[in-house]
Amino acid sequence: NAGVTQTPKFRVLKTGQSMTLLCAQDMNHEYMYWYRQDPGMGLRLIHYSVGEGTTAKGEVPDGYNVSRLKKQNFLLGLESAAPSQTSVYFCASMDRLNQPQHFGDGTRLSIL
Amino acid sequence: ELKVEQNPLFLSMQEGKNYTIYCNYSTTSDRLYWYRQDPGKSLESLFVLLSNGAVKQEGRLMASLDTKARLSTLHITAAVHDLSATYFCAVDGLTSGSRLTFGEGTQLTVNP
């Protein structure tokens, strides 16, 4: 049982480059989330989805886009990477309300 | 805007001692979650608290929720080294998507 899988695990980008982070879950969960974790700031929600084909903005959405074309996948895109987007990105999924979110192992992204 | 504050942010304690981590939040909610994160790892769900007065216990950890005071506590009993980790509380602001707002985390070190 893989749970929540994030790809890639590490990446280094140059300023202005674009990339997509992939999150895949095999638990048939409805809800999916993208967070970033920076030192001393806990986790902050970037975007989320309440079901296939839906997306919504979280607390810090600027500079990111998302898509959820299939229920099991939630993609996070950086159109033009900036050094301020250097962070650890976590994806999470949740079955239904009042259940805990299940987290992936994270993607460590550095932008030079 | 929901704000979640944890204290202390750093905690160094001896094995065998007891201590409490506090999580205060700023708006009405009766859904609170505790997570554990080991260095460089993902987040692991510890407790789900869904009502005023809720108390959950697992091993040496006990969590409680007082929705009137907007306060949750994570009590550690007779700490052992294996409990060394960062502990996060997260509050569901009862908005669309069951979005969580995380505290900054409490970095716990248990010394022999």
Side-chain angles (χ1 to χ4, degrees), chain A residues 10-95:
Chain A
F10 304 93
R11 186 72 183 268
V12 178
L13 289 179
K14 293 181 179 179
T15 298
Q17 288 185 317
S18 63
M19 79 162 295
T20 300
L21 280 65
L22 171 63
C23 176
Q25 53 97 1
D26 62 1
M27 297 173 284
N28 201 36
H29 285 177
E30 289 293 335
Y31 299 80
M32 296 188 75
Y33 307 84
W34 275 108
Y35 296 91
R36 59 178 290 173
Q37 184 176 31
D38 301 296
M41 298 187 73
L43 278 76
R44 292 182 292 167
L45 182 65
I46 305 170
H47 286 280
Y48 65 100
S49 169
V50 299
E52 180 179 319
T54 75
T55 64
K57 294 180 180 179
E59 180 185 355
V60 288
D62 294 343
Y64 305 95
N65 56 75
V66 288
S67 65
R68 190 153 179 218
L69 299 179
K70 294 183 179 181
K71 186 176 183 179
Q72 64 266 33
N73 295 336
F74 195 28
L75 278 63
L76 178 70
L78 285 72
E79 294 179 342
S80 179
S84 61
Q85 294 177 304
T86 293
S87 188
V88 180
Y89 291 86
F90 284 99
C91 175
S93 70
M94 183 176 74
D95 183 16

Side-chain angles (χ1 to χ4, degrees), chain B residues 43-99:
Chain B
L43 281 79
E44 172 191 358
S45 175
L46 293 175
F47 299 109
V48 178
L49 303 170
L50 299 175
S51 62
N52 185 40
V55 177
K56 296 280 185 71
Q57 183 164 4
E58 180 72 33
R60 300 176 187 273
L61 300 177
M62 183 174 69
S64 65
L65 178 62
D66 181 343
T67 59
K68 295 180 181 178
R70 299 176 184 170
L71 171 67
S72 179
T73 61
L74 180 65
H75 187 71
I76 303 156
T77 301
V80 293
H81 179 68
D82 286 351
L83 291 179
S84 297
T86 299
Y87 294 85
F88 292 95
C89 65
V91 179
D92 184 337
L94 306 182
T95 55
S96 170
S98 193
R99 289 170 280 173

